[in-house]
Amino acid sequence: MAVHDDCIFCKIANHVIESDYVYEDDLVAAFRDMSPLAPTHVLVVPKDHYADLDDGVPAQTAAALLHAAEEVAKAEGITKSGFRVVSNSGADAGQAVGHLHLHVLGGRRLTDDFA
Ligand code: DGP
């Protein structure tokens, strides 16, 4: 498995460091963002390391990430009220952690200021 020793999300996704998990399967893990911007703010990450969406992510992993985002929304009870899925890739998007992740946000009316 392509896990990087110096990557915090690799460590969380593979339980080297434990976190507040919301969902997990063979390919991905979902855990609460440490700086939540909404009542639900969960990060969905692949267990293998990919820097961002432009890093040769296999289709099966991409599908697993989206499936997990939906599972998180269901578990959080926000499918009816609405939710947002965002992935920042690269500098202009403000990506801070260099391990591919989806933000799942909901539980309040979201404005356009969160990219
Ligand atoms: P981005 O800008 O898209 O790279 O967002 C990175 C997010 O990751 C940011 O909302 C804060 C969150 N984050 C960073 N380090 C940790 C961590 O160690 N644990 C958790 N739970 N969240 C983290």
Side-chain angles (χ1 to χ4, degrees), residues 7 9 49-55 86-103 115:
C7 172
F9 285 0
H49 185 90
Y50 303 97
D52 57 28
L53 278 173
D54 189 40
D55 193 20
V86 176
S87 187
N88 295 318
S89 287
D92 276 0
Q95 183 180 6
V97 178
H99 179 123
L100 172 61
H101 51 283
L102 306 184
H103 297 255

PDB file of all heavy atoms in Angstrom, residues 7 9 49-55 86-103 115:
ATOM      1  N   CYS A   7       3.015  11.773   6.086  1.00  0.00           N
ATOM      2  CA  CYS A   7       1.723  12.372   5.687  1.00  0.00           C
ATOM      3  C   CYS A   7       0.683  12.137   6.775  1.00  0.00           C
ATOM      4  O   CYS A   7       0.351  10.990   7.098  1.00  0.00           O
ATOM      5  CB  CYS A   7       1.258  11.765   4.361  1.00  0.00           C
ATOM      6  SG  CYS A   7      -0.412  12.274   3.919  1.00  0.00           S
ATOM      7  N   PHE A   9      -2.570  12.601   6.795  1.00  0.00           N
ATOM      8  CA  PHE A   9      -3.807  11.925   6.385  1.00  0.00           C
ATOM      9  C   PHE A   9      -3.558  10.453   6.079  1.00  0.00           C
ATOM     10  O   PHE A   9      -4.463   9.624   6.276  1.00  0.00           O
ATOM     11  CB  PHE A   9      -4.467  12.639   5.212  1.00  0.00           C
ATOM     12  CG  PHE A   9      -5.165  13.928   5.589  1.00  0.00           C
ATOM     13  CD1 PHE A   9      -5.178  14.394   6.901  1.00  0.00           C
ATOM     14  CD2 PHE A   9      -5.834  14.679   4.629  1.00  0.00           C
ATOM     15  CE1 PHE A   9      -5.820  15.574   7.246  1.00  0.00           C
ATOM     16  CE2 PHE A   9      -6.493  15.858   4.969  1.00  0.00           C
ATOM     17  CZ  PHE A   9      -6.479  16.306   6.279  1.00  0.00           C
ATOM     18  N   HIS A  49      -1.868   6.922  -0.757  1.00  0.00           N
ATOM     19  CA  HIS A  49      -1.529   8.344  -0.891  1.00  0.00           C
ATOM     20  C   HIS A  49      -1.639   8.815  -2.335  1.00  0.00           C
ATOM     21  O   HIS A  49      -0.971   8.273  -3.225  1.00  0.00           O
ATOM     22  CB  HIS A  49      -0.114   8.610  -0.383  1.00  0.00           C
ATOM     23  CG  HIS A  49       0.238  10.069  -0.394  1.00  0.00           C
ATOM     24  ND1 HIS A  49      -0.004  10.895   0.682  1.00  0.00           N
ATOM     25  CD2 HIS A  49       0.756  10.857  -1.360  1.00  0.00           C
ATOM     26  CE1 HIS A  49       0.369  12.127   0.383  1.00  0.00           C
ATOM     27  NE2 HIS A  49       0.844  12.132  -0.858  1.00  0.00           N
ATOM     28  N   TYR A  50      -2.464   9.838  -2.543  1.00  0.00           N
ATOM     29  CA  TYR A  50      -2.494  10.605  -3.795  1.00  0.00           C
ATOM     30  C   TYR A  50      -2.455  12.064  -3.380  1.00  0.00           C
ATOM     31  O   TYR A  50      -3.142  12.466  -2.430  1.00  0.00           O
ATOM     32  CB  TYR A  50      -3.764  10.314  -4.600  1.00  0.00           C
ATOM     33  CG  TYR A  50      -3.923   8.844  -4.911  1.00  0.00           C
ATOM     34  CD1 TYR A  50      -4.730   8.047  -4.114  1.00  0.00           C
ATOM     35  CD2 TYR A  50      -3.235   8.255  -5.965  1.00  0.00           C
ATOM     36  CE1 TYR A  50      -4.847   6.680  -4.365  1.00  0.00           C
ATOM     37  CE2 TYR A  50      -3.342   6.904  -6.231  1.00  0.00           C
ATOM     38  CZ  TYR A  50      -4.148   6.128  -5.424  1.00  0.00           C
ATOM     39  OH  TYR A  50      -4.257   4.782  -5.659  1.00  0.00           O
ATOM     40  N   ALA A  51      -1.658  12.863  -4.079  1.00  0.00           N
ATOM     41  CA  ALA A  51      -1.476  14.253  -3.671  1.00  0.00           C
ATOM     42  C   ALA A  51      -2.767  15.052  -3.835  1.00  0.00           C
ATOM     43  O   ALA A  51      -3.105  15.879  -2.984  1.00  0.00           O
ATOM     44  CB  ALA A  51      -0.354  14.887  -4.477  1.00  0.00           C
ATOM     45  N   ASP A  52      -3.451  14.808  -4.939  1.00  0.00           N
ATOM     46  CA  ASP A  52      -4.691  15.534  -5.235  1.00  0.00           C
ATOM     47  C   ASP A  52      -5.421  14.794  -6.349  1.00  0.00           C
ATOM     48  O   ASP A  52      -5.023  13.684  -6.739  1.00  0.00           O
ATOM     49  CB  ASP A  52      -4.411  16.997  -5.590  1.00  0.00           C
ATOM     50  CG  ASP A  52      -3.452  17.154  -6.768  1.00  0.00           C
ATOM     51  OD1 ASP A  52      -3.421  16.246  -7.630  1.00  0.00           O
ATOM     52  OD2 ASP A  52      -2.743  18.172  -6.833  1.00  0.00           O
ATOM     53  N   LEU A  53      -6.476  15.413  -6.889  1.00  0.00           N
ATOM     54  CA  LEU A  53      -7.280  14.730  -7.910  1.00  0.00           C
ATOM     55  C   LEU A  53      -6.506  14.507  -9.207  1.00  0.00           C
ATOM     56  O   LEU A  53      -6.929  13.710 -10.050  1.00  0.00           O
ATOM     57  CB  LEU A  53      -8.542  15.556  -8.196  1.00  0.00           C
ATOM     58  CG  LEU A  53      -9.698  15.362  -7.219  1.00  0.00           C
ATOM     59  CD1 LEU A  53     -10.811  16.366  -7.533  1.00  0.00           C
ATOM     60  CD2 LEU A  53     -10.243  13.935  -7.297  1.00  0.00           C
ATOM     61  N   ASP A  54      -5.386  15.200  -9.369  1.00  0.00           N
ATOM     62  CA  ASP A  54      -4.577  15.122 -10.592  1.00  0.00           C
ATOM     63  C   ASP A  54      -3.382  14.194 -10.413  1.00  0.00           C
ATOM     64  O   ASP A  54      -2.356  14.360 -11.062  1.00  0.00           O
ATOM     65  CB  ASP A  54      -4.111  16.534 -10.975  1.00  0.00           C
ATOM     66  CG  ASP A  54      -3.452  16.567 -12.336  1.00  0.00           C
ATOM     67  OD1 ASP A  54      -3.943  15.874 -13.248  1.00  0.00           O
ATOM     68  OD2 ASP A  54      -2.438  17.278 -12.491  1.00  0.00           O
ATOM     69  N   ASP A  55      -3.492  13.219  -9.527  1.00  0.00           N
ATOM     70  CA  ASP A  55      -2.354  12.359  -9.185  1.00  0.00           C
ATOM     71  C   ASP A  55      -2.638  10.902  -9.549  1.00  0.00           C
ATOM     72  O   ASP A  55      -2.275   9.986  -8.800  1.00  0.00           O
ATOM     73  CB  ASP A  55      -2.029  12.500  -7.689  1.00  0.00           C
ATOM     74  CG  ASP A  55      -0.678  11.894  -7.329  1.00  0.00           C
ATOM     75  OD1 ASP A  55       0.160  11.707  -8.228  1.00  0.00           O
ATOM     76  OD2 ASP A  55      -0.461  11.610  -6.126  1.00  0.00           O
ATOM     77  N   VAL A  86     -16.478  19.174  -1.596  1.00  0.00           N
ATOM     78  CA  VAL A  86     -15.442  20.026  -2.190  1.00  0.00           C
ATOM     79  C   VAL A  86     -14.099  19.327  -2.103  1.00  0.00           C
ATOM     80  O   VAL A  86     -13.791  18.688  -1.089  1.00  0.00           O
ATOM     81  CB  VAL A  86     -15.336  21.368  -1.417  1.00  0.00           C
ATOM     82  CG1 VAL A  86     -14.192  22.218  -1.968  1.00  0.00           C
ATOM     83  CG2 VAL A  86     -16.639  22.128  -1.464  1.00  0.00           C
ATOM     84  N   SER A  87     -13.282  19.440  -3.153  1.00  0.00           N
ATOM     85  CA  SER A  87     -11.897  18.991  -3.072  1.00  0.00           C
ATOM     86  C   SER A  87     -10.986  20.092  -3.600  1.00  0.00           C
ATOM     87  O   SER A  87     -11.104  20.483  -4.769  1.00  0.00           O
ATOM     88  CB  SER A  87     -11.697  17.698  -3.867  1.00  0.00           C
ATOM     89  OG  SER A  87     -10.392  17.200  -3.634  1.00  0.00           O
ATOM     90  N   ASN A  88     -10.109  20.593  -2.751  1.00  0.00           N
ATOM     91  CA  ASN A  88      -9.148  21.608  -3.163  1.00  0.00           C
ATOM     92  C   ASN A  88      -7.925  20.911  -3.741  1.00  0.00           C
ATOM     93  O   ASN A  88      -7.336  20.051  -3.093  1.00  0.00           O
ATOM     94  CB  ASN A  88      -8.744  22.464  -1.959  1.00  0.00           C
ATOM     95  CG  ASN A  88      -9.905  23.257  -1.405  1.00  0.00           C
ATOM     96  OD1 ASN A  88     -10.687  23.817  -2.157  1.00  0.00           O
ATOM     97  ND2 ASN A  88     -10.031  23.287  -0.093  1.00  0.00           N
ATOM     98  N   SER A  89      -7.547  21.292  -4.961  1.00  0.00           N
ATOM     99  CA  SER A  89      -6.358  20.733  -5.601  1.00  0.00           C
ATOM    100  C   SER A  89      -5.427  21.878  -5.984  1.00  0.00           C
ATOM    101  O   SER A  89      -5.749  22.687  -6.854  1.00  0.00           O
ATOM    102  CB  SER A  89      -6.730  19.929  -6.860  1.00  0.00           C
ATOM    103  OG  SER A  89      -7.336  18.710  -6.510  1.00  0.00           O
ATOM    104  N   GLY A  90      -4.280  21.932  -5.311  1.00  0.00           N
ATOM    105  CA  GLY A  90      -3.259  22.885  -5.689  1.00  0.00           C
ATOM    106  C   GLY A  90      -3.381  24.248  -5.032  1.00  0.00           C
ATOM    107  O   GLY A  90      -4.291  24.518  -4.241  1.00  0.00           O
ATOM    108  N   ALA A  91      -2.422  25.100  -5.369  1.00  0.00           N
ATOM    109  CA  ALA A  91      -2.236  26.375  -4.673  1.00  0.00           C
ATOM    110  C   ALA A  91      -3.417  27.320  -4.835  1.00  0.00           C
ATOM    111  O   ALA A  91      -3.880  27.920  -3.844  1.00  0.00           O
ATOM    112  CB  ALA A  91      -0.958  27.042  -5.171  1.00  0.00           C
ATOM    113  N   ASP A  92      -3.912  27.494  -6.051  1.00  0.00           N
ATOM    114  CA  ASP A  92      -5.003  28.459  -6.251  1.00  0.00           C
ATOM    115  C   ASP A  92      -6.265  28.053  -5.505  1.00  0.00           C
ATOM    116  O   ASP A  92      -7.101  28.911  -5.175  1.00  0.00           O
ATOM    117  CB  ASP A  92      -5.318  28.614  -7.747  1.00  0.00           C
ATOM    118  CG  ASP A  92      -4.402  29.623  -8.428  1.00  0.00           C
ATOM    119  OD1 ASP A  92      -3.528  30.191  -7.741  1.00  0.00           O
ATOM    120  OD2 ASP A  92      -4.549  29.834  -9.646  1.00  0.00           O
ATOM    121  N   ALA A  93      -6.422  26.766  -5.249  1.00  0.00           N
ATOM    122  CA  ALA A  93      -7.585  26.292  -4.489  1.00  0.00           C
ATOM    123  C   ALA A  93      -7.344  26.372  -2.985  1.00  0.00           C
ATOM    124  O   ALA A  93      -8.252  26.114  -2.199  1.00  0.00           O
ATOM    125  CB  ALA A  93      -7.916  24.867  -4.893  1.00  0.00           C
ATOM    126  N   GLY A  94      -6.109  26.687  -2.594  1.00  0.00           N
ATOM    127  CA  GLY A  94      -5.791  26.786  -1.170  1.00  0.00           C
ATOM    128  C   GLY A  94      -5.603  25.449  -0.488  1.00  0.00           C
ATOM    129  O   GLY A  94      -5.800  25.335   0.727  1.00  0.00           O
ATOM    130  N   GLN A  95      -5.189  24.434  -1.259  1.00  0.00           N
ATOM    131  CA  GLN A  95      -4.987  23.115  -0.645  1.00  0.00           C
ATOM    132  C   GLN A  95      -3.868  23.188   0.394  1.00  0.00           C
ATOM    133  O   GLN A  95      -2.739  23.592   0.069  1.00  0.00           O
ATOM    134  CB  GLN A  95      -4.636  22.073  -1.706  1.00  0.00           C
ATOM    135  CG  GLN A  95      -4.489  20.665  -1.122  1.00  0.00           C
ATOM    136  CD  GLN A  95      -4.145  19.609  -2.178  1.00  0.00           C
ATOM    137  OE1 GLN A  95      -3.908  19.939  -3.337  1.00  0.00           O
ATOM    138  NE2 GLN A  95      -4.103  18.360  -1.759  1.00  0.00           N
ATOM    139  N   ALA A  96      -4.189  22.811   1.629  1.00  0.00           N
ATOM    140  CA  ALA A  96      -3.214  22.906   2.718  1.00  0.00           C
ATOM    141  C   ALA A  96      -2.566  21.569   3.035  1.00  0.00           C
ATOM    142  O   ALA A  96      -1.413  21.532   3.464  1.00  0.00           O
ATOM    143  CB  ALA A  96      -3.895  23.463   3.962  1.00  0.00           C
ATOM    144  N   VAL A  97      -3.294  20.489   2.865  1.00  0.00           N
ATOM    145  CA  VAL A  97      -2.764  19.155   3.161  1.00  0.00           C
ATOM    146  C   VAL A  97      -2.614  18.399   1.848  1.00  0.00           C
ATOM    147  O   VAL A  97      -3.589  18.230   1.100  1.00  0.00           O
ATOM    148  CB  VAL A  97      -3.698  18.383   4.126  1.00  0.00           C
ATOM    149  CG1 VAL A  97      -3.150  16.983   4.381  1.00  0.00           C
ATOM    150  CG2 VAL A  97      -3.840  19.145   5.445  1.00  0.00           C
ATOM    151  N   GLY A  98      -1.393  17.936   1.570  1.00  0.00           N
ATOM    152  CA  GLY A  98      -1.078  17.326   0.283  1.00  0.00           C
ATOM    153  C   GLY A  98      -1.415  15.858   0.176  1.00  0.00           C
ATOM    154  O   GLY A  98      -0.609  15.053  -0.316  1.00  0.00           O
ATOM    155  N   HIS A  99      -2.587  15.500   0.641  1.00  0.00           N
ATOM    156  CA  HIS A  99      -3.144  14.147   0.495  1.00  0.00           C
ATOM    157  C   HIS A  99      -4.589  14.350   0.068  1.00  0.00           C
ATOM    158  O   HIS A  99      -5.352  15.017   0.791  1.00  0.00           O
ATOM    159  CB  HIS A  99      -3.040  13.388   1.818  1.00  0.00           C
ATOM    160  CG  HIS A  99      -3.603  11.990   1.804  1.00  0.00           C
ATOM    161  ND1 HIS A  99      -2.845  10.871   2.144  1.00  0.00           N
ATOM    162  CD2 HIS A  99      -4.842  11.522   1.529  1.00  0.00           C
ATOM    163  CE1 HIS A  99      -3.606   9.783   2.053  1.00  0.00           C
ATOM    164  NE2 HIS A  99      -4.839  10.163   1.696  1.00  0.00           N
ATOM    165  N   LEU A 100      -4.944  13.812  -1.079  1.00  0.00           N
ATOM    166  CA  LEU A 100      -6.290  13.997  -1.632  1.00  0.00           C
ATOM    167  C   LEU A 100      -7.376  13.843  -0.563  1.00  0.00           C
ATOM    168  O   LEU A 100      -7.364  12.872   0.197  1.00  0.00           O
ATOM    169  CB  LEU A 100      -6.522  12.965  -2.739  1.00  0.00           C
ATOM    170  CG  LEU A 100      -7.929  12.868  -3.318  1.00  0.00           C
ATOM    171  CD1 LEU A 100      -8.358  14.179  -3.966  1.00  0.00           C
ATOM    172  CD2 LEU A 100      -7.990  11.729  -4.318  1.00  0.00           C
ATOM    173  N   HIS A 101      -8.293  14.808  -0.517  1.00  0.00           N
ATOM    174  CA  HIS A 101      -9.407  14.705   0.419  1.00  0.00           C
ATOM    175  C   HIS A 101     -10.619  15.442  -0.124  1.00  0.00           C
ATOM    176  O   HIS A 101     -10.499  16.456  -0.806  1.00  0.00           O
ATOM    177  CB  HIS A 101      -9.038  15.251   1.806  1.00  0.00           C
ATOM    178  CG  HIS A 101      -8.425  16.625   1.801  1.00  0.00           C
ATOM    179  ND1 HIS A 101      -7.114  16.851   1.449  1.00  0.00           N
ATOM    180  CD2 HIS A 101      -8.938  17.840   2.111  1.00  0.00           C
ATOM    181  CE1 HIS A 101      -6.852  18.145   1.528  1.00  0.00           C
ATOM    182  NE2 HIS A 101      -7.946  18.772   1.935  1.00  0.00           N
ATOM    183  N   LEU A 102     -11.786  14.906   0.201  1.00  0.00           N
ATOM    184  CA  LEU A 102     -13.056  15.586  -0.055  1.00  0.00           C
ATOM    185  C   LEU A 102     -13.545  16.170   1.261  1.00  0.00           C
ATOM    186  O   LEU A 102     -13.524  15.486   2.290  1.00  0.00           O
ATOM    187  CB  LEU A 102     -14.113  14.613  -0.578  1.00  0.00           C
ATOM    188  CG  LEU A 102     -13.799  13.754  -1.805  1.00  0.00           C
ATOM    189  CD1 LEU A 102     -15.036  12.945  -2.179  1.00  0.00           C
ATOM    190  CD2 LEU A 102     -13.322  14.593  -2.964  1.00  0.00           C
ATOM    191  N   HIS A 103     -13.986  17.417   1.219  1.00  0.00           N
ATOM    192  CA  HIS A 103     -14.695  17.994   2.355  1.00  0.00           C
ATOM    193  C   HIS A 103     -16.187  17.706   2.158  1.00  0.00           C
ATOM    194  O   HIS A 103     -16.734  17.975   1.078  1.00  0.00           O
ATOM    195  CB  HIS A 103     -14.525  19.511   2.402  1.00  0.00           C
ATOM    196  CG  HIS A 103     -13.115  19.993   2.603  1.00  0.00           C
ATOM    197  ND1 HIS A 103     -12.664  20.495   3.804  1.00  0.00           N
ATOM    198  CD2 HIS A 103     -12.064  20.072   1.751  1.00  0.00           C
ATOM    199  CE1 HIS A 103     -11.396  20.868   3.677  1.00  0.00           C
ATOM    200  NE2 HIS A 103     -10.999  20.628   2.437  1.00  0.00           N
ATOM    201  N   ALA A 115     -14.514  27.447  -0.754  1.00  0.00           N
ATOM    202  CA  ALA A 115     -14.253  26.841  -2.062  1.00  0.00           C
ATOM    203  C   ALA A 115     -13.849  25.399  -1.890  1.00  0.00           C
ATOM    204  O   ALA A 115     -13.358  25.008  -0.865  1.00  0.00           O
ATOM    205  CB  ALA A 115     -13.173  27.600  -2.787  1.00  0.00           C
TER     206      ALA A 115
END
